[in-house]
Amino acid sequence: VLIGSVGPVAEQQTALFEAQYPVHYIDLTADVSAEELIDRATAWAADHIGLRPFAITTLAKEAGVKAAQAKLGQMGAARHAERLLSGIAARVRDLGVRRFIVSGGETSGAIVGALGIERVRPFARGPLGGGFCVAEGGDPVSFFLKSGKLGAPDVLLRALDEMTREHMQLELLRIWRETGTTVVFVTHSISESAFLSNRVVVLSPRPGRIHSVVDVDLGDRDDDTREDPAFFAKATEIREALRVVEASG
């Protein structure tokens, strides 16, 4: 998670994230070079990559923001933060990171540009609205990009949960393909059932009985499957089956 925004919204979102995961703060007024700050943050991140989610931020309280703006100018402080976070993004990408949550509209643009990504493909709007996208091309880097002033206090955690869920779905499919094991997967998510399954069994409540079965033939699944019209059609078919169950219950 890279946070380049400031203000009460960003502070609250960062505090909730920090209650569960480590956060590295960068002081924009530090009398060291940008390269040194990037080196320090990257070294700190390297200790966490592959072990746990983490965040790096240039966020500061009001006094810190005023100090940075007094030293660098309002625009200079903003550009300095963008250079630092985009440089860090490039470094951690080289260390294997392929999923980024970015808070800050201009920060998002700077980071995508620093990673050499020319185009991203947005995913369909979900519970968090828009913001989820994936880089087009051979390097499948995934993003959740948001304005610093938008989102609920727990938006960073919820975005992390969603990205982790999608990653684990792909891992489950990989294991299934390698082992050929039959998997019975229980979920309350319509999109998840359509993405993972060859066959979806819709149950009625109390007592649980098989109400209907929806066959799903989407071929090999990957991130592109989530944007396939056939995927949306199957999700709709499953949703309609559930509505029939609810109406008859």
Side-chain angles (χ1 to χ4, degrees), residues 7 15 24-25 49 54 57-58 60 76 83 117 119 132 170 188 190 194 202 205 209 218 222 244:
H24 178 78
Y25 288 85
I49 292 173
F54 60 88
T57 181
T58 55
R83 284 193 296 270
I117 295 170
R119 296 183 62 183
F132 288 102
L170 292 172
H188 292 90
I190 293 172
V202 179
R209 301 183 186 278
L218 297 175
D222 55 23
V244 171

Side-chain angles (χ1 to χ4, degrees), residues 188-190 193-194 199-205 209-216 232-249:
H188 292 90
S189 168
I190 293 172
S193 66
R199 178 175 296 174
V200 176
V201 178
V202 179
L203 301 178
S204 62
R209 301 183 186 278
I210 295 177
H211 175 271
S212 56
V213 177
V214 179
D215 290 321
V216 182
F232 289 111
K234 282 300 175 183
T236 299
E237 186 176 347
I238 297 166
R239 183 176 292 105
E240 290 302 319
L242 285 171
R243 286 175 177 169
V244 171
V245 171
E246 292 172 355
S248 62

Side-chain angles (χ1 to χ4, degrees), residues 8-23:
V9 173
E11 290 176 14
Q12 191 173 23
Q13 292 171 351
T14 304
L16 281 180
F17 186 89
E18 190 173 14
Q20 298 189 36
Y21 302 108
V23 177

Side-chain angles (χ1 to χ4, degrees), residues 21-77:
Y21 302 108
V23 177
H24 178 78
Y25 288 85
I26 299 175
D27 182 2
L28 295 180
T29 65
D31 290 324
V32 296
S33 68
E35 193 66 22
E36 175 64 20
L37 291 174
I38 292 172
D39 286 344
R40 292 178 184 177
T42 303
W44 177 87
D47 291 335
H48 300 285
I49 292 173
L51 299 176
R52 62 186 66 83
F54 60 88
I56 298 174
T57 181
T58 55
L59 176 70
K61 298 290 187 181
E62 184 178 358
V65 173
K66 290 182 177 179
Q69 292 178 347
K71 182 175 182 178
L72 304 170
Q74 184 173 355
M75 188 61 67

